[in-house]
């Protein structure tokens, strides 16, 4: 386990994943009943963009810092930018000191009656999470394998909620197989939960078996959204990334259709890149 998210905080993949996360949480909040947010690979929860790790890669410059001056934007993006501003009250122009990870983004949006379960295996990151949420009674931090925890802890008592699966993919193709195994168990126990699974795109042939898996397991409502910045033909680069959403909220595809062109334009590298928005399975 060498992966440290601090090197990548606020990069284009975070912008993509976190704006979608905000949209999913917002949809859950449309109903008054409480829900549970489950983060299987939570990370440290908050990152210092002026710290040595973030400065070494400068990935935020190619990611979140390109979005800060977006004026008229779909509401997911507006909410995302508002949250960044509230966490960086002293920010001036194109600068940010703090970047929130998925746990801090989610808990910033939860209501008093909602709950978060955060899993993180790496001891230092888990310790940071525990400190960050020490005074938040809605949040449970577990230093344990997120895949095993997911199978053990769903369905939540609220019976409504969202699972974010955001692994480091150090295991390359085997990570897809680990996700499939964990999802098979979780979905069989909680078929009405919303599941959002982030994955990297390097070579296209690596993602195809994963996409086919959902139909093979008869998981009946699955949307895929991808942002490709470079051709998907090199195993050496992060060419893009995607999120598969099981049981997306009503009309979520239409909301993504408004969000994605803005991200594509702001996060592009040499060429225009590509967006994909498709149903992998649909009842
Ligand atoms: C991509 S980062 C998570 C980023 C976070 N979800 C966010 O959006 O801010 C992946 C995290 O998973 C942790 N990790 C790796 N294997 C794990 C496992 N089996 N269970 C739980 N956490 C794990 C890593 O230590 C790392 O912090």
């Amino acid at each position: 386990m060498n992966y440290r998210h601090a090197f990548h905080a606020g990069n284009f993949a975070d912008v993509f994943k976190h704006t979608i996360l905000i949209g999913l949480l917002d949809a859950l909040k449309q109903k008054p009943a409480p829900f549970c947010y489950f983060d299987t690979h939570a990370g440290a929860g908050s990152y210092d963009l002026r710290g040595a790790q973030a400065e070494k890669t400068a990935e935020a410059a190619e990611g979140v810092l390109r979005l800060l001056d977006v004026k008229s934007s779909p509401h997911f993006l507006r909410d995302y930018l508002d949250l960044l501003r509230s966490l960086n009250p002293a920010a001036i122009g194109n600068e940010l000191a703090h970047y929130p990870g998925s746990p801090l983004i989610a808990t910033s949006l939860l209501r008093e009656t909602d709950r978060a379960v955060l899993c993180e295996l790496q001891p230092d990151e888990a310790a940071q999470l525990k400190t960050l949420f020490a005074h938040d009674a809605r949040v449970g931090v577990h230093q344990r394998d997120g895949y095993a925890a997911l199978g053990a802890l769903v369905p939540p008592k609220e019976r409504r909620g969202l699972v974010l699966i955001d692994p480091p993919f150090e295991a390359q193709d085997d990570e897809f197989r680990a996700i499939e195994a964990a999802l098979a168990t979780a979905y069989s126990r909680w078929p009405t939960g919303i599941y959002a699974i982030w994955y990297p795109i390097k070579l296209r042939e690596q993602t195809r078996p994963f996409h086919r898996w959902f139909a093979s397991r008869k998981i009946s409502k699955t949307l895929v959204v991808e942002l490709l910045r470079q051709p998907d033909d090199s195993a050496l680069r992060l060419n893009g990334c995607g999120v598969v959403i099981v049981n997306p909220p009503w009309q979520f595809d239409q909301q993504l259709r408004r969000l994605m062109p803005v991200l594509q334009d702001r996060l592009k590298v040499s060429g225009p890149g590509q967006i994909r928005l498709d149903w992998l399975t649909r009842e």
Side-chain angles (χ1 to χ4, degrees):
M1 282 218 316
N2 293 317
Y3 184 93
R4 292 290 178 278
H5 196 66
F7 287 102
H8 310 291
N11 70 359
F12 82 93
D14 264 5
V15 175
F16 168 76
K17 161 180 44 184
H18 291 156
T19 47
I20 293 171
L21 172 63
I22 286 174
L24 292 170
L25 292 165
D26 187 53
L28 278 162
K29 285 167 64 178
Q30 297 306 309
K31 289 190 186 154
F35 67 86
C36 180
Y37 169 71
F38 201 115
D39 203 327
T40 59
H41 295 72
S46 179
Y47 303 94
D48 177 4
L49 290 185
R50 293 176 181 157
Q53 291 165 316
E55 290 216 322
K56 185 162 184 207
T57 56
E59 290 189 20
E62 294 273 297
V64 63
L65 299 184
R66 291 196 184 176
L67 273 295
L68 296 182
D69 65 340
V70 171
K71 292 282 181 293
S72 69
S73 53
H75 76 91
F76 300 2
L77 198 49
R78 223 171 26 239
D79 293 350
Y80 172 71
L81 295 172
D82 286 348
L83 178 61
L84 292 176
R85 283 187 202 107
S86 73
L87 295 170
N88 289 275
I92 310 163
N94 196 21
E95 280 194 34
L96 283 184
H98 309 288
Y99 187 81
S102 51
L104 189 55
I105 291 174
T107 53
S108 302
L109 300 177
L110 295 190
R111 302 161 299 189
E112 269 312 300
T113 50
D114 301 324
R115 203 162 57 90
V117 176
L118 312 175
C119 298
E120 169 58 50
L121 199 51
Q122 217 284 325
D124 293 344
E125 317 281 277
Q128 286 185 54
L129 270 183
K130 283 184 182 160
T131 305
L132 189 59
F133 295 111
H135 304 294
D136 192 337
R138 304 167 305 169
V139 182
V141 176
H142 304 259
Q143 192 202 323
R144 65 184 284 195
D145 173 31
Y147 293 128
L150 178 63
L153 299 179
V154 297
K157 64 176 189 297
E158 297 83 356
R159 298 270 161 175
R160 308 179 63 220
L162 165 65
V163 176
L164 175 66
I165 303 181
D166 180 25
F169 276 84
E170 286 179 308
Q172 309 280 339
D173 286 3
D174 287 347
E175 196 80 63
F176 285 113
R177 308 294 83 80
I179 294 170
E180 291 162 4
L183 258 182
T185 307
Y187 187 81
S188 68
R189 298 182 55 150
W190 189 29
T192 55
I194 301 173
Y195 299 83
I197 307 106
W198 180 90
Y199 58 91
I201 305 174
K202 293 180 175 178
L203 293 172
R204 174 54 63 190
E205 51 265 36
Q206 294 173 312
T207 63
R208 282 199 192 102
F210 180 57
H211 287 175
R212 284 196 292 263
W213 180 84
F214 291 88
S216 76
R217 298 299 300 214
K218 302 199 169 23
I219 294 179
S220 56
K221 229 173 100 195
T222 316
L223 188 64
V224 63
V225 55
E226 290 184 346
L227 175 65
L228 205 59
R229 301 166 88 212
Q230 298 172 98
D232 46 6
D233 58 2
S234 164
L236 303 176
R237 287 187 312 241
L238 183 62
N239 297 311
C241 59
V243 170
V244 172
I245 307 167
V246 177
N247 296 324
W250 188 61
Q251 294 191 331
F252 201 66
D253 54 336
Q254 292 172 35
Q255 297 186 329
L256 289 175
R257 220 172 280 290
R258 288 192 283 276
L259 169 74
M260 289 308 296
V262 182
L263 296 189
Q264 178 184 19
D265 179 51
R266 289 291 176 136
L267 298 173
K268 65 178 179 242
V269 279
S270 45
Q274 234 179 297
I275 311 169
R276 176 177 178 201
L277 183 59
D278 267 334
W279 290 94
L280 294 176
T281 62
R282 204 170 187 176
E283 282 158 321

